[in-house]
């Protein structure tokens, strides 16, 4: 059965977690299509000490890291678009322009499922919030035109209960607790808002292998000796809010990003 997904994110490594496990679960299907959109190349990101890069070359390096990450993961995108905006400046881009550019790609691909950031950007990053808003607006305008695809819009989420549990573990191992008032710190959403829970434990090793290729960002991704074990645990489940069409509260959780769309 043909299934198509488009993932729209802000930076390289945004695509490494959140939905990478679901991609691995479906990646072997001959009719599965995966399109990936990056708004920026992450050129304003961190540079780990052992990485041979400068602020002038980091964007190119991060594009390469992203390609290596999907190779390590084992199922790369069938189409990969870089919108070319400046890292850290998406919130200042004309919203109509950004929405139109994402909308043009959605209209070309007409995927069944589109995934992006929710209103909190998961980490509060303004770039995450901006690309999520633009993707939401583009999706909704096209989903109502009667054309094919565009059946489900998803926001990657971290459950509040998970957020609390991880924060306890962070403090127990000497790391600072996440502060949801700070940019770059993870946010949790109320557990009851989650619509989809996917068991990705069988492919978690692949997800972490891909994540590990983002070596320039090691200081934020693997800041602690126990980080790999923590990532294996975290990537064993994926949670999503179904932003469109809305689901009624209290409905049973879906267990796959495509469940019920056949």
């Amino acid at each position: 059965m043909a299934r198509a997904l488009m993932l729209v994110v802000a930076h390289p490594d945004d695509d490494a977690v959140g939905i990478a496990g679901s991609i691995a679960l479906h990646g072997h299907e001959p009719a599965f299509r995966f399109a990936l959109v990056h708004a920026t190349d992450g050129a304003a990101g961190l540079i780990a000490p052992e990485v041979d890069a400068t602020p002038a070359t980091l964007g190119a390096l991060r594009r390469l890291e992203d390609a290596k990450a999907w190779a390590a993961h084992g199922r790369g995108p069938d189409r990969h678009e870089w919108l070319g905006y400046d890292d850290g400046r998406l919130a200042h881009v004309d919203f109509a322009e950004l929405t139109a550019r994402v909308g043009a790609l959605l209209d070309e691909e007409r995927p069944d499922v589109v995934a992006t950031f929710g209103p909190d950007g998961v980490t509060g990053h303004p770039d995450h919030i901006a690309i999520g808003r633009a993707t939401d607006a583009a999706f909704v305008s096209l989903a109502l035109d009667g054309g094919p695809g565009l059946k489900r819009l998803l926001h990657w989420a971290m459950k509040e209960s998970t957020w609390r549990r991880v924060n306890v573990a962070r403090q127990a191992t000497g790391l600072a607790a996440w502060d949801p008032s700070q940019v770059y710190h993870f946010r949790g959403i109320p557990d009851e808002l989650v619509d989809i829970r996917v068991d990705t434990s069988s492919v978690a090793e692949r997800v972490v292998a891909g994540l590990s290729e983002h070596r320039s960002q090691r200081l934020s991704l693997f800041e602690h000796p126990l980080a790999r074990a923590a990532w294996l645990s975290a990537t064993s489940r994926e949670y999503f809010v179904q932003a469109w069409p809305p689901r009624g509260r209290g409905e049973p959780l879906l267990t796959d990003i495509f469940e019920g769309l056949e």
Side-chain angles (χ1 to χ4, degrees), residues 98-114:
L98 185 57
T99 300
R101 291 193 66 186
V102 174
L105 295 172
L106 289 176
D107 201 23
E108 290 174 17
E109 288 287 326
R110 306 295 301 203
D112 301 296
V113 174
V114 176

Side-chain angles (χ1 to χ4, degrees), residues 13 15-22 24 65 68-74 200-215 221-222 224-238:
D13 79 16
D15 50 324
V17 293
I19 199 169
S22 291
E65 287 179 336
K68 289 181 176 179
W70 284 108
H73 175 281
T200 51
S201 56
S202 63
V203 293
E205 288 277 2
R206 290 173 55 182
V207 176
V208 175
L211 182 65
S212 300
E213 290 297 325
H214 293 276
R215 300 182 190 281
L221 297 175
F222 291 91
H224 190 277
L226 299 178
R228 188 178 186 281
W231 277 119
L232 279 173
S233 175
T235 57
S236 292
R237 293 159 300 281
E238 292 178 347

Side-chain angles (χ1 to χ4, degrees), residues 19-126:
I19 199 169
S22 291
I23 292 166
L25 291 176
H26 289 283
H28 66 284
E29 299 170 4
F32 174 67
R33 179 171 174 81
F34 166 37
L36 175 60
V37 180
H38 277 100
T40 85
D41 61 10
L46 299 172
I47 303 176
E50 74 279 9
V51 173
D52 183 15
T54 67
T57 64
L58 180 60
L61 174 63
R62 295 195 68 185
R63 289 187 185 220
L64 180 60
E65 287 179 336
D66 200 76
K68 289 181 176 179
W70 284 108
H73 175 281
R75 178 50 163 95
D78 300 290
R79 178 180 183 179
H80 194 172
E81 297 286 342
W82 299 87
L83 299 185
Y85 291 107
D86 290 338
D87 184 8
R89 301 289 298 171
L90 274 186
H92 302 282
V93 173
D94 180 76
F95 183 71
E97 174 195 323
L98 185 57
T99 300
R101 291 193 66 186
V102 174
L105 295 172
L106 289 176
D107 201 23
E108 290 174 17
E109 288 287 326
R110 306 295 301 203
D112 301 296
V113 174
V114 176
T116 190
F117 292 105
D120 65 358
V122 180
T123 65
H125 196 302

Side-chain angles (χ1 to χ4, degrees), residues 82-247:
W82 299 87
L83 299 185
Y85 291 107
D86 290 338
D87 184 8
R89 301 289 298 171
L90 274 186
H92 302 282
V93 173
D94 180 76
F95 183 71
E97 174 195 323
L98 185 57
T99 300
R101 291 193 66 186
V102 174
L105 295 172
L106 289 176
D107 201 23
E108 290 174 17
E109 288 287 326
R110 306 295 301 203
D112 301 296
V113 174
V114 176
T116 190
F117 292 105
D120 65 358
V122 180
T123 65
H125 196 302
D127 283 359
H128 294 185
I129 294 169
I131 195 63
R133 285 183 59 229
T135 303
D136 286 359
F139 179 99
V140 171
S141 66
L142 288 168
L144 299 175
D145 70 3
L150 302 174
K151 300 173 183 176
R152 179 173 286 163
L153 173 63
L154 300 180
H155 294 158
W156 169 46
M158 176 179 285
K159 293 195 308 178
E160 182 77 19
S161 60
T162 301
W163 182 89
R164 293 184 182 280
R165 186 169 63 252
V166 173
N167 241 358
V168 169
R170 286 178 63 84
Q171 292 174 290
T173 56
L175 294 175
W178 286 326
D179 178 354
S181 69
Q182 300 296 314
V183 177
Y184 304 116
H185 288 223
F186 281 91
R187 277 87 166 134
I189 67 165
D191 289 19
E192 62 270 20
L193 297 183
V194 171
D195 295 301
I196 302 176
R197 178 190 186 277
V198 184
D199 181 351
T200 51
S201 56
S202 63
V203 293
E205 288 277 2
R206 290 173 55 182
V207 176
V208 175
L211 182 65
S212 300
E213 290 297 325
H214 293 276
R215 300 182 190 281
S216 65
Q217 306 307 296
R218 181 185 59 79
L219 293 181
S220 61
L221 297 175
F222 291 91
E223 58 183 324
H224 190 277
L226 299 178
R228 188 178 186 281
W231 277 119
L232 279 173
S233 175
T235 57
S236 292
R237 293 159 300 281
E238 292 178 347
Y239 298 95
F240 303 94
V241 173
Q242 182 169 298
W244 196 96
R247 300 183 79 229

